[in-house]
Amino acid sequence: MVYAVIRTGGKQYKVAPQDVLQIEKIEGAAGDSVRFAEVLALGGGEGEPKFGVPLVSGAAVSAEIVEQGKGPKIIIFKKRRRQNSRRRNGHRQFLTTVRIVDILTDGKAAPVKAAVEAPKAEAAPAEQAPKKAAKAKAAPAEGGEEAPKKPRAKKADKAE
């Protein structure tokens, strides 16, 4: 039986045709086709397994999105003993359920309904750059001088 090791969402999965697995969320609706180009290893066919350095060239895995959903709720509880300090937080990870359709080798094209490329890990830092620019200090008012600061209100003394 042919299998492949793919990388998506910072994790690695060993997959075979008709496998159903839950991965970190990728864009797309149920029924869309997805292509995973980051194939780390191929095996199970004739001959020895093929390992990439770091990826197997010309190999891809095509899959179909079954559903979008959320994982189970995870409770994060932090306690510092003898400090009267407790924090409780929860999290539910967004997940995508996919069915592996085919393992493609030697650059074969995948059957495509509405092909969606699996997201790359480098996409996140590009979004953070505009946020830093927005936090820059505002330019001073006209005339080159800063606006005068308002005096702070003094707190009223407590009468006993």
Side-chain angles (χ1 to χ4, degrees):
M1 185 160 143
V2 179
Y3 68 88
V5 177
I6 62 171
R7 178 172 58 200
T8 180
K11 298 173 184 66
Q12 298 176 4
Y13 300 93
K14 180 181 176 185
V15 297
Q18 301 306 313
D19 281 356
V20 176
L21 64 144
Q22 286 188 327
I23 60 174
E24 287 201 22
K25 185 175 193 293
I26 56 176
E27 295 300 318
D32 289 351
S33 293
V34 180
R35 185 172 183 212
F36 299 104
E38 294 189 14
V39 178
L40 304 173
L42 291 171
E46 66 284 336
E48 293 291 314
K50 185 190 265 186
F51 297 100
V53 185
L55 303 175
V56 177
S57 62
V61 173
S62 66
E64 178 185 1
I65 296 176
V66 176
E67 70 175 343
Q68 301 281 10
K70 284 184 170 182
K73 186 165 190 176
I74 297 171
I75 303 296
I76 298 102
F77 185 78
K78 296 180 180 178
K79 181 178 191 296
R80 294 173 193 89
R81 63 184 187 165
R82 298 187 299 274
Q83 306 298 319
N84 195 23
S85 173
R86 298 185 302 185
R87 296 289 176 264
R88 183 177 183 270
N89 202 347
H91 175 74
R92 288 187 73 185
Q93 183 67 39
F94 289 104
L95 299 174
T96 301
T97 304
V98 295
R99 177 179 293 112
I100 305 300
V101 176
D102 195 12
I103 296 173
L104 311 167
T105 57
D106 301 328
K108 290 192 292 186
V112 178
K113 292 180 188 173
V116 177
E117 277 293 321
K120 300 287 183 191
E122 293 84 32
E127 295 171 2
Q128 294 175 355
K131 291 180 183 177
K132 290 181 182 177
K135 290 183 180 180
K137 189 174 182 181
E142 283 195 29
E145 297 180 15
E146 292 185 15
K149 293 184 179 179
K150 293 181 182 178
R152 290 177 43 190
K154 294 184 179 179
K155 293 182 182 178
D157 292 333
K158 291 183 180 180
E160 289 186 31

